[in-house]
Amino acid sequence: MAKKTYGLIGCPLIHSFSSQYFNRKFAAEHIDAEYVNYEIHDINELSDVLSVTPSLCGLNVTTPYKEQVIPYLTSIDPTAASIGAVNVIRITRDNKGEVTELRGYNSDCIGFGRTIEPLLTSQRTAALILGTGGAAKAIQAALVKQGIEVQFVSRRKTASTLVYEELTRAMVSKHKIIVNCTPAGMYPHVDEAPPFPFRFVGAGHLCYDLIYNPDETKFMRECAAHGAEVKNGLEMLLLQAFVSYEIWTSSR
């Protein structure tokens, strides 16, 4: 059987550990496969990735394409459809190697749900989600499934989204879970953070940053300085990676 290829599409990918993780997994488990980063600057380049890599059986999708990729799929899992974002694509080919199906899934929702569940307390019943992109939508779905009330916060005001300047001490005090779903602070921009009023954070808060490179972001440092429990996105990355591989290799 020919070597299989899996990969990641997004831009930029300098921060990503996915290639490292999967290639170590393949080597350790003697799996004849490789994982390749495909940094594309436009979602239209997806067709080029598929055509030049006939061994490609599955893709992860990261910023900024988790929503943009949906029109390019031939089918979508109901959970991913309800979230409105895809971060896993399963590629089916015929015996000539031609793509017959691109099916989209969302493993972010599953990974985040598994990693945050042990951290929930009776006080942590409401969350502020910083950002409104594809990752934020997956986090919302995971939190709602846990019975957590959710409020989006962004730089732009909408009917369902607060802007950072509107956040009061009372609002932040009520929402004991704060999740950064923005790229602010991601390597190499390690000195950046969302414009959140960190002075309102306290000891009862759980402040979760989806970023995993660097290990400790400015967002995490600011929150920890005010007594909050903090966590980065590495465990979520690993958990969603497990789910991704299950999706790619399942007989379903």
Side-chain angles (χ1 to χ4, degrees):
M1 186 179 294
K3 175 182 281 191
K4 293 183 177 180
T5 302
Y6 304 95
L8 173 68
I9 58 169
C11 186
L13 296 182
I14 190 171
H15 68 280
S16 178
F17 290 166
S18 294
S19 176
Q20 217 177 321
Y21 164 76
F22 275 108
N23 285 316
R24 283 178 180 171
K25 172 184 172 66
F26 296 152
E29 299 179 20
H30 305 289
I31 297 169
D32 191 18
E34 64 176 347
Y35 192 98
V36 179
N37 283 348
Y38 299 98
E39 185 167 304
I40 60 175
H41 298 278
D42 189 289
I43 191 59
N44 291 318
E45 295 175 38
L46 173 60
S47 59
D48 296 331
V49 172
L50 294 169
S51 62
V52 301
T53 319
S55 59
L56 191 61
C57 300
L59 285 168
N60 286 125
V61 183
T62 191
T63 304
Y65 302 125
K66 292 183 181 185
E67 297 164 294
Q68 294 181 37
V69 77
I70 291 176
Y72 293 80
L73 305 175
T74 54
S75 65
I76 186 168
D77 174 75
T79 299
S82 67
I83 292 169
V86 162
N87 76 309
V88 183
I89 301 173
R90 179 173 170 175
I91 302 166
T92 304
R93 298 177 183 268
D94 61 21
N95 54 16
K96 295 181 181 179
E98 297 295 321
V99 175
T100 58
E101 184 180 36
L102 296 176
R103 184 166 176 81
Y105 299 83
N106 194 297
S107 65
D108 281 341
C109 179
I110 299 170
F112 183 78
R114 290 178 182 174
T115 188
I116 200 170
E117 188 173 12
L119 304 176
L120 297 179
T121 68
S122 59
Q123 302 300 311
R124 293 171 176 170
T125 58
L128 295 175
I129 297 180
L130 312 186
T132 57
K137 291 179 178 179
I139 298 319
Q140 177 195 30
L143 289 169
V144 168
K145 192 172 181 180
Q146 298 280 359
I148 305 297
E149 176 190 331
V150 168
Q151 173 63 59
F152 285 107
V153 183
S154 183
R155 295 176 187 269
R156 293 184 180 179
K157 175 76 173 173
T158 70
S160 59
T161 305
L162 297 175
V163 291
Y164 291 99
E165 292 78 12
E166 291 181 284
L167 295 175
T168 64
R169 185 178 297 276
M171 287 178 186
V172 176
S173 179
K174 174 188 174 185
H175 296 80
K176 289 292 194 290
I177 302 170
I178 304 166
V179 187
N180 178 34
C181 299
T182 79
M186 182 185 296
Y187 179 85
H189 305 291
V190 297
D191 293 325
E192 296 179 5
F196 188 83
F198 295 105
R199 65 190 182 280
F200 297 153
V201 172
H205 280 92
L206 168 64
C207 298
Y208 197 121
D209 200 329
L210 297 196
I211 294 171
Y212 52 84
N213 184 10
D215 291 340
E216 184 183 53
T217 61
K218 183 176 180 181
F219 170 83
M220 292 169 63
R221 289 196 302 275
E222 293 281 357
C223 292
H226 289 85
E229 179 180 3
V230 297
K231 188 173 178 68
N232 71 17
L234 183 58
E235 184 178 50
M236 175 185 164
L237 171 75
L238 297 175
L239 289 170
Q240 72 81 24
F242 298 157
V243 177
S244 296
Y245 191 68
E246 290 170 4
I247 289 168
W248 295 329
T249 57
S250 169
S251 59
R252 290 182 286 107

